[in-house]
C-alpha cells in the first residue's frame, strides 16, 4: 500500500513518467516535417527533415555514461539533475521518404526525481537513505542548479468540451460580433492543445477563431464546413444539426450555405488562401492553397479527433450549443468553476514545449538550408546530392543541441519562451521552488493549484470566489490570505489527478470499441461517423447510404466521449446508460475494461431555459482531470472516483445515512446517488492537520494553514547532505498529544514541528497584552523552542575573480589557500622564510577555509584565497552580525563545462553555517489554531503561577485572545492535551468526530474528572509572587505550540547614521545595507499633530540628509547655488553670506530646476 | 519527626515544621504558625537560590556524532551533579569563617567544599571552585563489549560515561531506585553513536543557583498549599439514608471523600486533604440540599497559618538538604536585612 505521504506528489511523478513513455513519442509523431527545395542547375532537389524519435537516458555526469549522478550530489554541487537527450531525424530527398536517420544530441533534459529515468526510482526506504535522501522522499520535482523546482499545476479550461461563454469584449472584434461564443479546448494525443472559439454574429453567421502563433485567425464557419464537407447532403444535415426550431433560426439555416456557391469551386483552396501566410515556413515554398487548407484543418480544427466527419460533428455540436445559448435555451458555463477546469500537468507542458522547440530547430535548420541554397547554389547542391546525410547532420547539430538547455531554463525561471504560446494564457510563473522550510510547506507545494498568472492582475474578485463546484476537490480552508487568496488553492487530501489514460494503456482501441458497443446496445443512435467505422483516419466521409442521428437530435441528447460525438439518445436512455456505466466503472473485476476514472456526466434535460446547462451525456477518459473517491449508493456501497464536472450532475450526501436505495428501479432515485466517505475529505493535507478545526471560526483555520507552513520544524533528516540556502530546525520537536487521523496517515511524526506545552490562560503580569505571551524562563533554559538556522553560502572563486577584474580587464586565477607567501629576501643561501605569520588568516586552516565546528563571529574571516603568481590575498568575511558555527564545508569540483581545464585545484566551495537561535523577546509562536503571539518576557519559574500539583505553566496567554477569535478548538485541544497527558495516551482530534449528542467537552471533561481535575479543565492556581490563591480558577491545559520562523534577529534594524544614497544623500534602504527605516507621510503627520517639531527636524534633517549651505543674504535672488565662491575682495557688490542647514535633496531639487531655467530663492532674515 | 526553631524573639511567631514523610527523593512537611508570605519565600528560595553544581563549560575535542556541539553541551548542563561529603576524607574549604560555617546547614553543604568561581581568586577555575568531568566514547571500542545481538544498534552515551576527577562529585543517573529499576538505559542519555563515531570532551562543573539558570535548580517540584480545616456535622450525616451518603461521597472524584469505616458507612471523612478545598463548594451545596434544615453539613476552609509542602528533588542535592539550604538561605537574607536595618538605625541615631 502506498502511504498517503508518498501519494502527495504522485501526480507530478505519474505525469512525468507518462511524458517519458507516451507523450514524448506522440509529440514526435505530431511534430511537423519541414521541407526545403534546392534549385540546382541540373535538377531540383527537395529535402525533407522529420523527427522520428527522442531518447532520454539516465542522468550522468561529464558526458561519461559511467559516472552516474544522484539528486543528492546535484543539490550539494548546485548543478542540474539532467540526463542526455538525443533526437533522431529522418531525412528524405526528392520524395523518397527515408534516406537515412540522423541522431544528434539535444542537450541535457532535467529529470524529475524518482521518475522512471531517475537513479532513485524503485528504491526502498533503506536504499533512499543509503542514497542520502529522506526515507520518505516524495520526488516530483526537478533539481536545477541545486534548487528543487516544481512545475506548478495550473487550472486550465477543461479539454474537449464545448463551453458557452459570454464576453462583452467580443462585440469589439468587428461588425456584427456579439458577446456570445462557444469555446472548446481540443487536446492532441501528445497532450498539447488548441483552442477554437466559435463566435456568433448578429447576422446569423458564425466565425471560428483559432490562434496560430499568437495570431488570431477568424474564419467564417461556413468556409471551414465547406472544406470539410463539400457535399450538399452533408450541408442539409448540418442545417438540421444547428437548428433549434426557432423561426429566426430557420432563416439563418436558409442563408447559411447560400453565399458560398459563387466562390471558388474548391472550398479547400479558399480556406487555404485565408491561412496560407501563417504556414509558409512549415510547408514547401511551392505548395498550393489546397495543401494549406488541408494543413490547417488537420492541425488546428478539432484536433482531438482525426476523421473529417468527426471534425464536422464537433463543429456541429459547437454551433448547436452556440445557437441554443444565443436563444437563451442554455446557460453560460462558468469558466471559473472547477467543474469546467482541468489541470495543466508538468508532463503535458513539457511535451508541448519540447515539441515546439524541436519544430523550431527543424525550422531553423531548414531556414539555414534555404540560405545555403541561395548563397552557394551550385556548390552546395552538388555537395548535397552526394552527402545529404552529413550535410543535414551538420546543420541539425548546430541547432538541436540547445533544446535541453532551453527546457532547463524554462524550469529554472518558470518563463515560457514560445512562439505559439502553447495555448496558454500566461508566459511566466510556471515553476516554483519547493522550499524545505518544513515538511508541511514542502508537501503543499505539490498539492497547490494556481488559477493562472493572468488572473492575479484582475481587478474583479469573481475568480477568487469559493464556488460550490469546488467542493471536495479544492480545499476551502487552505488558501493564503492576501494577494493570491482564492487563486492559489490546494487539492484535497483524497483527490488525485488522472495522469494516464489508465486502463486504456493496454488496449486503447479495444476499450473504446467496447464502450461504444455498450452504448449502442443500450439504445444510443450512433452518428454517421461512428457507423462508418470508428477511426477512419483522414478519410473524407462517404456521403451515401448512411442514416444520421443529427435530424432527430432536436429531442435527443448527444453522447460525447472526450469530445468525439458518438451519437444521440433520449434523456431516459442517457440516464440508463450512465447508470449502467457507473455500475461497470466501480466493479473490481475490470475484465469489461471500463476505466475506473471514467467521468460520466449526464446533464439532464431540464427544459430549455437560460438557467439550465446544455444537456448531453459527456464521457471523459483523458488525463489531467481531478478525481476523488465517493461512495456509490447501492446494495453494497462501493468507492467510485468522480470528477468535478460529473459531480455537478450527482446527488452526494454528506453522511452515509440513507445509502441503501433500490438498485433495480432507477427511475425512483430522486435522492442521493452517492455519499461522502468522510466529512474530512474536503480538506487538504494541511487543513486536515488542525485538530478540532470544526470548532474554530473559519479564518483561524486559514491562518493556521499559513502558519503551519512557516513553522520551524524538522525539514529534513539529511541536513548534512543538503546545501539549501536557508533551513530552519527546531531542536526540541515533539509528537503532538492531540492530533488528527491524517497526521498519522501522513507519518508527519517523522518531521515533528512543535512542542506540547502547559498553557495557562490568565492575565498575569501585564506582559501578556495584545497577543504577547510569557514563556517560563526555566522552560526556555531547558530547551523550549530552541532552534537552529542553517545557511549555506557558495564561494565561487571564478566569479570572485571576475568581480575583482582589474582596470585592464585581466582576470587572475584565484585559489583557496592561506599560506603567507611573502618571502624574506634570502641571505647567504639560507632558506627563504615567510615574512610575518605563517598564515594570512590565522583563524582559517591551510586550505583557506575554517574547520568544521569552528565558531565564526561577526567580521571573522570565512575563507581565504590567493591570487595566482602574486602575493595578494583575498579574505571573505562573515557578514552577519550573529555568531555562527561551521556545520559543513564542501569543495564543489568542476562543472562539466570546465572539464578541459588541466588543473585540479578547487574553485568552488560551499560553507554551511549554523546559527543557534534560542527564543528571544519578539520571536513569534503560535498554537495550531491561528493564535499567534510574540514572546514578551522570559518570566522566572519561581514567579510563575503554580498549580496545586506544583506545575508551573510553560506559556501564559491572555484570555482576551479568545472572545473575538472564537478558537474554541484551542480550548478543546487544551483539555484534550491535559487528559492525554494524565491518561498517558494520544488523543484524536480529527474534525467532525464529535456531534451534539456526543460533545467533545463532555468526552474530555469526564476524562479530566476521572483524572482528578476539574471537569472543564480549570484549576486553582496560586500566585508565584505572593503565594496566595488566585480569585478565579485558571484554565490550564496542554497545547501544541509551534515556533514560527519570523525571528527578531532576522528583522531588527537599527541605524543612527550610516550609508547614504549618492544622489540624494538620504539614507539607503534595506536592513542588509544597514539602511534606515522610512518615516513616511503618515508618520510625519502624526509627529506634526503632536507638535514635536524638534523630533521631526532630527528625524527628517539631522539624521537624514542635513546639508550646510550658504545663502546670499542681500541679493534679490537668494540663491543657494553659486558658480564661484563669492569673493568679497573682488569687484562689484559685496555679498553677504549666511550659513543655513537645508536638506540636501532640496539642493538637488534646486539643481534640477536650475537645469530647467527655474531659480528658487531663499530669503534670509536675521 | 523533628522541629526546627527559626526565630528567637519572644514576640515573634514560632513557626514549627513537621515532616510528614521523607522518601528517597521526595518529602512532605507541614509548616505551622507562619503565613503565606513566609511559605512562599521558602518555596521560591528552594527553587531559585539553593546552591548546586552543574556543568557550565564544555570543551570538545572530537564530536563526530550526529548531534551538534552546542546541543550536547546543553544536554550535559542539565544532568544533575551530586556532591557527597565523606567525613574524614573530603577536604573542606579552609577559608570559611565560623559565621559562614554556622550559617550553613551542615558539613554536607556544598559550599563548605566549593567556592563560587566568581569569588575564587584562581585564574579560570580550580579544584576549589570547579570539578572537571571527562567523556570519551568511541563507538568502535565500546561496541566490543556489548552482546552480539546488540552490535548493530547505535550505542547510547549516558551520564555513566562521564568520569569525574573528584571522587566526591559525580553525575546523578537516577532520581530513585524505582527509576533505576525501570529504566532501559544505564543513566541519562546524552547522545547516540553509530559506527565510526566518536565523542571526546571535557566539562567543567561550577556552582550556581536556579535563578541563574534552570540547570542549577535542585528540585523538580516544590509546592505548598494551605492546610484545610475541616468540620463535619456528624449527626446530620448519620441521620441521612445510606444512598444519600453515597451521593455525598460520589460528588468528588474518587479518593477525596470516604467512609471512616467501610463496613459501618455512617460517618464520612476526608481522605485526600490536598484536594478537598477544590470541592468544598460542591459538597456544601449538596449537603445543604440534602439537609432538612437547609444547612450545610460540611465546612472546610484554608488555613492562613499552616501550610503543607511537597518537595521533590532531582537527585543532585538530597531532598531534606534542599529544604535546609532553603531555610538557611532565608536566614542568611534575614540576617543581612537585620544588619542593614541596624546600620541604618545607627546612622540615624
Ligand atoms: Zn577557583
Amino acid at each position: 500500500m502506498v502511504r498517503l505521504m508518498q501519494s502527495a506528489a504522485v501526480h507530478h511523478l505519474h505525469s512525468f513518467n507518462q511524458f517519458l513513455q507516451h507523450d514524448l513519442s506522440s509529440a514526435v509523431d505530431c511534430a511537423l516535417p519541414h521541407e526545403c527545395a534546392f534549385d540546382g542547375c541540373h535538377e531540383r532537389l527537395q529535402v525533407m527533415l522529420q523527427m522520428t524519435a527522442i531518447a532520454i537516458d539516465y542522468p550522468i555526469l561529464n558526458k561519461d555514461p559511467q559516472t552516474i549522478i544522484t539528486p543528492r550530489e546535484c543539490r550539494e554541487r548546485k548543478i542540474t539533475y539532467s540526463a542526455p537527450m538525443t533526437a533522431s531525424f529522418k531525412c528524405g530527398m526528392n520524395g523518397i521518404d527515408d534516406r537515412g536517420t540522423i541522431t544528434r544530441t539535444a542537450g541535457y533534459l532535467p529529470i524529475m526525481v524518482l521518475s522512471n529515468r531517475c537513479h532513485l526510482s524503485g528504491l526502498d526506504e533503506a536504499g533512499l537513505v543509503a542514497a542520502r535522501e529522506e526515507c520518505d522522499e516524495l520526488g516530483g520535482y526537478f533539481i536545477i542548479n541545486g534548487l528543487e523546482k516544481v512545475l506548478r499545476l495550473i487550472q486550465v479550461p477543461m479539454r474537449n468540451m464545448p463551453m458557452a461563454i459570454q464576453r462583452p469584449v467580443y462585440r469589439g472584434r468587428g461588425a456584427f460580433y456579439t458577446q456570445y461564443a462557444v469555446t472548446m479546448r481540443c487536446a492532441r494525443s501528445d497532450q498539447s492543445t488548441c483552442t477554437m472559439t466559435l463566435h456568433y454574429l448578429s447576422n446569423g453567421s458564425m466565425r471560428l477563431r483559432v490562434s496560430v502563433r499568437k495570431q488570431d485567425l477568424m474564419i467564417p464557419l461556413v468556409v471551414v464546413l465547406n472544406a470539410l464537407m463539400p457535399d450538399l447532403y452533408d450541408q442539409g444535415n448540418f442545417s438540421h444539426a444547428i437548428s433549434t426550431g426557432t423561426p429566426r433560426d430557420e432563416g439563418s439555416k436558409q442563408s447559411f450555405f447560400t453565399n458560398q456557391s459563387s466562390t471558388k469551386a474548391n472550398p479547400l483552396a479558399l480556406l487555404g488562401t485565408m491561412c496560407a501566410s501563417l504556414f509558409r515556413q512549415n510547408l514547401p515554398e511551392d505548395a498550393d492553397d489546397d495543401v494549406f487548407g488541408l494543413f490547417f484543418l488537420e492541425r488546428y480544427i478539432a484536433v482531438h479527433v482525426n476523421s473529417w466527419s468527426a471534425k464536422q460533428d464537433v463543429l456541429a455540436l459547437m454551433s448547436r450549443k452556440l445557437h441554443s445559448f444565443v436563444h437563451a435555451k442554455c446557460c453560460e458555463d462558468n469558466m471559473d468553476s472547477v467543474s469546467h477546469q482541468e489541470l495543466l500537468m508538468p508532463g503535458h507542458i513539457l511535451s508541448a514545449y519540447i515539441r515546439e522547440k524541436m519544430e523550431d530547430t527543424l525550422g531553423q535548420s531548414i531556414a539555414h538550408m534555404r540560405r545555403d541554397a541561395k548563397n552557394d547554389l551550385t556548390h552546395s547542391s552538388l555537395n548535397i546530392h552526394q552527402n545529404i546525410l552529413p550535410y543535414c547532420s551538420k546543420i541539425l547539430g548546430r541547432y538541436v543541441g540547445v533544446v535541453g538547455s532551453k527546457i532547463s531554463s524554462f524550469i529554472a525561471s518558470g518563463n515560457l519562451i514560445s512562439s505559439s504560446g502553447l495555448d496558454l494564457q500566461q508566459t511566466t510563473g510556471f515553476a516554483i521552488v519547493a522550499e524545505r522550510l518544513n515538511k508541511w510547506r514542502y508537501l503543499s507545494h505539490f498539492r497547490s493549484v494556481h488559477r493562472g498568472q493572468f488572473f492575479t492582475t484582475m481587478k474583479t474578485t469573481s475568480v477568487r470566489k469559493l464556488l460550490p463546484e469546488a467542493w471536495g476537490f479544492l480545499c476551502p480552508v487552505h488558501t493564503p490570505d492576501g494577494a493570491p487568496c482564492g487563486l492559489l488553492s490546494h487539492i484535497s487530501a483524497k483527490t488525485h489527478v488522472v495522469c494516464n489514460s489508465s486502463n486504456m494503456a493496454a488496449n486503447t482501441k479495444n476499450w473504446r470499441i467496447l464502450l461504444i458497443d455498450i452504448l449502442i446496445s443500450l439504445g444510443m443512435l450512433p452518428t454517421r461517423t461512428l457507423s462508418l467505422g470508428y477511426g477512419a483516419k483522414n478519410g473524407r466521409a462517404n456521403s451515401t447510404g448512411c442514416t444520421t442521428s443529427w435530424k432527430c437530435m432536436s429531442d435527443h441528447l448527444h453522447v460525447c466521449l472526450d469530445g468525439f460525438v458518438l451519437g444521440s439518445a433520449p434523456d431516459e436512455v442517457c440516464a440508463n446508460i450512465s447508470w449502467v456505466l457507473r455500475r461497470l466503472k466501480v466493479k473490481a473485476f475490470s475484465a469489461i475494461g471500463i476505466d475506473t476514472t471514467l467521468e460520466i456526466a449526464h446533464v439532464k434535460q431540464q427544459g430549455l431555459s437560460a438557467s439550465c446547462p446544455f444537456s448531453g451525456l459527456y464521457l471523459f477518459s483523458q488525463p489531467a482531470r481531478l478525481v476523488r473517491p465517493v461512495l456509490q449508493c447501492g446494495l453494497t456501497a462501493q468507492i467510485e472516483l468522480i470528477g468535478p464536472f460529473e459531480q455537478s450532475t450527482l446527488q452526494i450526501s454528506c453522511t452515509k445515512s440513507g445509502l441503501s436505495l433500490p438498485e433495480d428501479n432507477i427511475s425512483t432515485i430522486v435522492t442521493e446517488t452517492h455519499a461522502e466517505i468522510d466529512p474530512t475529505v474536503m480538506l487538504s493535507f494541511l487543513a486536515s492537520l488542525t485538530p478540532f478545526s470544526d470548532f474554530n471560526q473559519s479564518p483561524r483555520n486559514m491562518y493556521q494553514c499559513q502558519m503551519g507552513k512557516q513553522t520551524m520544524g524538522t525539514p529534513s533528516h539529511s541536513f548534512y547532505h543538503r546545501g539549501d540556502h536557508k533551513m530552519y530546525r527546531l531542536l526540541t520537536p515533539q509528537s503532538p498529544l492531540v492530533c488528527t487521523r491524517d497526521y498519522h496517515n501522513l507519518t508527519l511524526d517523522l518531521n515533528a514541528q512543535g512542542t506540547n506545552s502547559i498553557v495557562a490562560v490568565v492575565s498575569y503580569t501585564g506582559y501578556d497584552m495584545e497577543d504577547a505571551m510569557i514563556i517560563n524562563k526555566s522552560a526556555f533554559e531547558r530547551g523550549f523552542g530552541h532552534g537552529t538556522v542553517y545557511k549555506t553560502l557558495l564561494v565561487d572563486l571564478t566569479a570572485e575573480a571576475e568581480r575583482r577584474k582589474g582596470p585592464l580587464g585581466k582576470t587572475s586565477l584565484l585559489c583557496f589557500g592561506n599560506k603567507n607567501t611573502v618571502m624574506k629576501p634570502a641571505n647567504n643561501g639560507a632558506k627563504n622564510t615567510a615574512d610575518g605569520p605563517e598564515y594570512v588568516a590565522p583563524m582559517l586552516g591551510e586550505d583557506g577555509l575554517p574547520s568544521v565546528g569552528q565558531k565564526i563571529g561577526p567580521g571573522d574571516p570565512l575563507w581565504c584565497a590567493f591570487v595566482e603568481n602574486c602575493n595578494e590575498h583575498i579574505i571573505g568575511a562573515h557578514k552577519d552580525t550573529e555568531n555562527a558555527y561551521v556545520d559543513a564545508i564542501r569543495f564543489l569540483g568542476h562543472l562539466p563545462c570546465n572539464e578541459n581545464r588541466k588543473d585540479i585545484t578547487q574553485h568552488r566551495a560551499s560553507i554551511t553555517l549554523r546559527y543557534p537561535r534560542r527564543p528571544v523577546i519578539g520571536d513569534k509562536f503560535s498554537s495550531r489554531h491561528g493564535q499567534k503571539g510574540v514572546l514578551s518576557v522570559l518570566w522566572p519559574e519561581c514567579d510563575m503561577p503554580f498549580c496545586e500539583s506544583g506545575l508551573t505553566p510553560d506559556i501564559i496567554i491572555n484570555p482576551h485572545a479568545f472572545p473575538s477569535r472564537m478558537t474554541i478548538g484551542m480550548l478543546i485541544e487544551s483539555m484534550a492535551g491535559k487528559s492525554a497527558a494524565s491518561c498517558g495516551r494520544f488523543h484524536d482530534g480529527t474534525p467532525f468526530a464529535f456531534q451534539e449528542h456526543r460533545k467533545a467537552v463532555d468526552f474530555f471533561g469526564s476524562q479530566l474528572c476521572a483524572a482528578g481535575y476539574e471537569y472543564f479543565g480549570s484549576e486553582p492556581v496560586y500566585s508565584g509572587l505572593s503565594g496566595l490563591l488566585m480569585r478565579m480558577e485558571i484554565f490550564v491545559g496542554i497545547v501544541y505550540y509551534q515556533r514560527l520562523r519570523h525571528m527578531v534577529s532576522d528583522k531588527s534594524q537599527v541605524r543612527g547614521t550610516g550609508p547614504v544614497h549618492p544622489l540624494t544623500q538620504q539614507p539607503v534602504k534595506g536592513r542588509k545595507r544597514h539602511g534606515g527605516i522610512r518615516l513616511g507621510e503618515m508618520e510625519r503627520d502624526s509627529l506634526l499633530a503632536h507638535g514635536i517639531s524638534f523630533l521631526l527636524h532630527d528625524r527628517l534633517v539631522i539624521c537624514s540628509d542635513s546639508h550646510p549651505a550658504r545663502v546670499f543674504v542681500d541679493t534679490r535672488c537668494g540663491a543657494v547655488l553659486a558658480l564661484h565662491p563669492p569673493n568679497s575682495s573682488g569687484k562689484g557688490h559685496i555679498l553677504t553670506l549666511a550659513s543655513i542647514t537645508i536638506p540636501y535633496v532640496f539642493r538637488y531639487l534646486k539643481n534640477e530646476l536650475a537645469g530647467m531655467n527655474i531659480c528658487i530663492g531663499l530669503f534670509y532674515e536675521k | 519527626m523533628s522541629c526546627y526553631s527559626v526565630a528567637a524573639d519572644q514576640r515573634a511567631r514560632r513557626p514549627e515544621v513537621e515532616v510528614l514523610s521523607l522518601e528517597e527523593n521526595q518529602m512532605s512537611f507541614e509548616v505551622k504558625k507562619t503565613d503565606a508570605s513566609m511559605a512562599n519565600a521558602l518555596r521560591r528560595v528552594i527553587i531559585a537560590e539553593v546552591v548546586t553544581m552543574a556543568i557550565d563549560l564544555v570543551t570538545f575535542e572530537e564530536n563526530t556524532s550526529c548531534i551538534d556541539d552546542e546541543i550536547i553541551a546543553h544536554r550535559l548542563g542539565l544532568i544533575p551533579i551530586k556532591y557527597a561529603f565523606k567525613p574524614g576524607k573530603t577536604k573542606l574549604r579552609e577559608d570559611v569563617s565560623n559565621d559562614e560555617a554556622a550559617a550553613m546547614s551542615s558539613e554536607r553543604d556544598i559550599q563548605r567544599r566549593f567556592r563560587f568561581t566568581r569569588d575564587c581568586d584562581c585564574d579560570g577555575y580550580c579544584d576549589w571552585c570547579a570539578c572537571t568531568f571527562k567523556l570519551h566514547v568511541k563507538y568502535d571500542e565500546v561496541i566490543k563489549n556489548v552482546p552480539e545481538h546488540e552490535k548493530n544498534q547505535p550505542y547510547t552515551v549516558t551520564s555513566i560515561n562521564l568520569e569525574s576527577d573528584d571522587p566526591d562529585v559525580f553525575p546523578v543517573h537516577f532520581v530513585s531506585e524505582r527509576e533505576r529499576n525501570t529504566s532501559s538505559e544505564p543513566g541519562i542519555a546524552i547522545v547516540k553513536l553509530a559506527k565510526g563515531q566518536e565523542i571526546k570532551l571535557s566539562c567543567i562543573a561550577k556552582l550556581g543557583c536556579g535563578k541563574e539558570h534552570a540547570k542549577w535548580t535542585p528540585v523538580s517540584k516544590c509546592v505548598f498549599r494551605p492546610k484545610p480545616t475541616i468540620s463535619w456535622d456528624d449527626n446530620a450525616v448519620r441521620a441521612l439514608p445510606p444512598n444519600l451518603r453515597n451521593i455525598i461521597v460520589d460528588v468528588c472524584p474518587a479518593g477525596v471523600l470516604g467512609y471512616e469505616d467501610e463496613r459501618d458507612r455512617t460517618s464520612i471523612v476526608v481522605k485526600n486533604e490536598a484536594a478537598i478545598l477544590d470541592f468544598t463548594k460542591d459538597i456544601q451545596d449538596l449537603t445543604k440540599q440534602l439537609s432538612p434544615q437547609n444547612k450545610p453539613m460540611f465546612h472546610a476552609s484554608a488555613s492562613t497559618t499552616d501550610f503543607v509542602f511537597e518537595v521533590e528533588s532531582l537527585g543532585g542535592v538530597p531532598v531534606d538538604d534542599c529544604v535546609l539550604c532553603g531555610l538557611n538561605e532565608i536566614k542568611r537574607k534575614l540576617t543581612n536585612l537585620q544588619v542593614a536595618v541596624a546600620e541604618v538605625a545607627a546612622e540615624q541615631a
Side-chain angles (χ1 to χ4, degrees), chain A residues 321-570:
Chain A
K321 183 159 184 175
L322 182 57
H323 271 95
S324 36
F325 180 45
V326 169
H327 298 125
K329 286 177 185 167
C330 75
C331 67
E332 189 189 355
D333 293 317
N334 185 0
M335 303 283 274
D336 292 327
S337 99
V338 180
S339 61
H340 292 111
Q341 284 169 346
E342 61 177 38
L343 298 184
L344 182 72
M345 303 300 290
H348 298 175
I349 188 160
L350 279 180
S351 87
Y353 195 61
I354 286 193
R355 195 190 80 173
E356 185 179 289
K357 289 299 151 204
M358 285 294 181
E359 281 179 355
D360 285 355
T361 301
L362 286 176
Q364 284 162 342
S365 307
I366 289 294
H368 190 112
M369 287 183 186
R370 283 180 186 166
R371 273 202 305 280
D372 275 4
K374 248 183 219 158
N375 295 345
D376 192 359
L377 217 130
T378 48
H379 180 69
S380 66
S381 65
L382 272 176
N383 256 358
I384 284 166
H385 207 173
Q386 273 132 35
N387 11 332
I388 176 77
L389 276 181
Y391 175 75
C392 292
S393 174
K394 193 187 91 193
I395 290 177
L396 276 173
R398 183 175 290 185
Y399 297 105
V400 79
V402 295
V403 174
S405 67
K406 277 186 177 156
I407 292 157
S408 294
S409 70
F410 163 62
I411 300 174
S413 65
N415 295 338
L416 189 76
I417 301 159
S418 159
S419 54
S420 70
L422 298 184
D423 200 29
L424 294 168
Q425 276 193 306
Q426 64 190 70
T427 56
T428 55
F430 285 98
I432 43 171
V433 179
E435 295 165 288
R436 280 209 206 222
L437 203 139
N438 61 39
K439 193 82 181 189
W440 295 21
R441 189 187 193 95
Y442 186 66
L443 273 181
S444 40
H445 284 123
F446 298 97
R447 314 286 299 174
S448 69
V449 167
H450 201 270
R451 182 68 185 90
Q453 207 72 37
F454 170 74
F455 297 94
T456 55
T457 55
M458 248 178 161
K459 293 282 187 291
T460 55
T461 51
S462 58
V463 285
R464 297 165 187 263
K465 256 187 199 162
L466 177 67
L467 293 168
E469 286 94 334
W471 169 269
F473 292 96
L474 298 184
C475 179
V477 177
H478 190 186
T479 181
D481 44 354
C485 183
L487 297 176
L488 185 71
S489 19
H490 293 80
I491 57 177
S492 68
K494 298 277 176 359
T495 298
H496 64 262
V497 190
V498 181
C499 289
N500 46 353
S501 315
S502 49
N503 290 1
M504 296 160 55
N507 43 2
T508 312
K509 280 275 160 56
N510 293 346
W511 176 82
R512 291 192 154 226
I513 288 166
L514 191 85
L515 180 65
I516 290 161
D517 284 349
I518 294 171
L519 292 176
I520 292 173
S521 67
L522 287 172
M524 180 193 77
L525 296 177
T527 52
R528 197 163 52 92
T529 318
L530 194 65
S531 44
L532 277 178
Y534 173 69
K537 227 181 173 181
N538 292 351
R540 298 288 196 85
N542 197 346
S543 61
T544 49
C546 271
T547 52
T548 173
S549 62
W550 283 114
K551 268 179 192 164
C552 41
M553 274 293 273
S554 48
D555 56 337
H556 278 199
L557 307 186
H558 52 263
V559 182
C560 294
L561 171 64
D562 290 323
F564 184 100
V565 186
L566 295 174
S568 66

Side-chain angles (χ1 to χ4, degrees), chain A residues 31-322:
Chain A
L32 297 175
H34 283 65
E35 286 178 39
C36 164
F38 290 83
D39 285 314
C41 327
H42 314 293
E43 56 182 325
R44 202 183 138 75
L45 203 59
Q46 191 88 22
V47 178
M48 189 273 299
L49 286 175
Q50 188 178 11
M51 194 160 61
T52 54
I54 296 177
I56 291 158
D57 214 330
Y58 282 87
I60 54 162
L61 189 61
N62 290 339
K63 293 176 183 161
D64 172 13
Q66 298 305 316
T67 47
I68 62 164
I69 187 158
T70 57
R72 190 271 306 181
E73 200 176 340
C74 293
R75 273 186 224 116
E76 281 195 79
R77 291 180 59 170
K78 316 264 181 216
I79 54 174
T80 302
Y81 187 57
S82 53
M85 171 168 66
T86 45
S88 304
F89 300 91
K90 194 167 67 178
C91 176
M93 198 166 76
N94 284 354
I96 304 160
D97 236 17
D98 203 354
R99 285 292 294 262
T101 306
I102 303 162
T103 304
R104 299 294 310 208
T105 171
Y108 285 76
L109 179 79
I111 295 293
M112 188 179 273
V113 175
L114 277 185
S115 69
N116 288 346
R117 278 292 177 276
C118 173
H119 295 298
L120 302 180
S121 160
L123 290 183
D124 59 353
E125 273 186 26
L128 285 171
V129 172
R132 307 290 182 232
E133 298 289 336
E134 303 296 300
C135 62
D136 54 355
E137 180 61 49
L138 302 174
Y141 54 90
F142 301 92
I143 302 172
I144 311 285
N145 296 329
L147 284 179
E148 297 178 345
K149 286 277 186 174
V150 180
L151 285 181
R152 203 168 226 177
L153 303 177
I154 293 163
Q155 285 164 281
V156 287
M158 189 180 199
R159 61 174 69 180
N160 305 338
M161 172 75 194
M163 279 180 283
I165 50 171
Q166 191 168 202
R167 301 275 183 276
V169 285
Y170 287 163
R171 278 191 223 133
R173 288 201 169 262
F176 302 119
Y177 274 83
T178 61
Q179 70 265 47
Y180 302 107
V182 164
T183 181
M184 187 167 185
R185 186 170 163 267
C186 308
R188 303 185 183 91
S189 63
D190 70 336
Q191 313 298 343
S192 63
T193 56
C194 176
T195 303
M196 33 178 212
T197 310
L198 193 63
H199 287 275
Y200 185 77
L201 271 61
S202 53
N203 62 1
S205 67
M206 289 175 276
R207 292 224 172 175
L208 198 61
R209 175 164 62 94
V210 178
S211 166
V212 180
R213 271 192 221 95
K214 291 179 184 163
Q215 269 178 285
D216 277 351
L217 204 61
M218 291 284 203
I219 294 175
L221 180 65
V222 60
V223 175
V224 180
L225 284 171
N226 272 326
L228 278 172
M229 43 176 184
D231 309 298
L232 285 171
Y233 182 81
D234 288 339
Q235 294 173 1
N237 277 334
F238 186 78
S239 305
H240 276 288
I242 60 167
S243 75
T244 45
T246 53
R248 190 171 157 219
D249 232 37
E250 290 298 317
S252 68
K253 190 168 76 183
Q254 300 295 313
S255 65
F256 199 77
F257 285 98
T258 47
N259 58 350
Q260 39 87 26
S261 52
S262 58
T263 57
K264 277 191 189 176
N266 185 355
L268 206 54
L270 175 68
L271 181 65
T273 53
M274 292 175 143
C275 55
S277 60
L278 290 166
F279 304 124
R280 287 273 176 230
Q281 55 169 292
N282 300 99
L283 295 169
E285 288 132 320
D286 53 354
D288 54 19
D289 286 345
D290 266 21
V291 181
F292 285 118
L294 211 60
F295 183 85
F296 177 71
L297 287 180
E298 215 172 288
R299 299 266 164 191
Y300 291 95
I301 299 298
V303 292
H304 60 295
V305 290
N306 290 323
S307 80
W308 255 215
S309 59
K311 283 181 201 262
Q312 86 196 28
D313 288 347
V314 171
L315 290 176
L317 174 62
M318 284 177 78
S319 31
R320 191 179 160 87
K321 183 159 184 175
L322 182 57

Side-chain angles (χ1 to χ4, degrees), chain A residues 1109-1120 1140-1142 1146 1150 1159-1165:
Chain A
R1110 286 180 297 179
V1111 63
F1112 295 88
V1113 172
D1114 49 2
T1115 53
R1116 269 170 303 161
C1117 72
V1120 186
I1140 55 162
T1141 303
I1142 54 164
F1146 177 69
K1150 224 173 131 49
C1159 179
I1160 295 184
L1162 290 182
F1163 294 97
Y1164 181 86
E1165 273 175 31

Side-chain angles (χ1 to χ4, degrees), chain A residues 777 781 914 942-943 1024-1025, chain B residues 40 43-44 68 70 74 214:
Chain A
K777 179 166 166 279
E781 282 163 354
R914 199 171 65 225
C942 57
D943 297 342
L1025 296 167
Chain B
N40 196 38
R43 182 190 71 90
R44 289 162 59 90
D68 299 331
E70 61 267 22
H74 180 245

Side-chain angles (χ1 to χ4, degrees), chain B residues 78 92 123 151 172 178 240 275 306 325 345:
Chain B
L78 293 174
L92 294 176
D123 188 20
K151 281 228 154 61
V172 178
R178 195 174 136 264
L240 287 171
D306 297 4
C325 290

Side-chain angles (χ1 to χ4, degrees), chain B residues 120 122 125-126 129:
Chain B
C120 190
C122 64
Y125 61 94
C126 68
C129 65

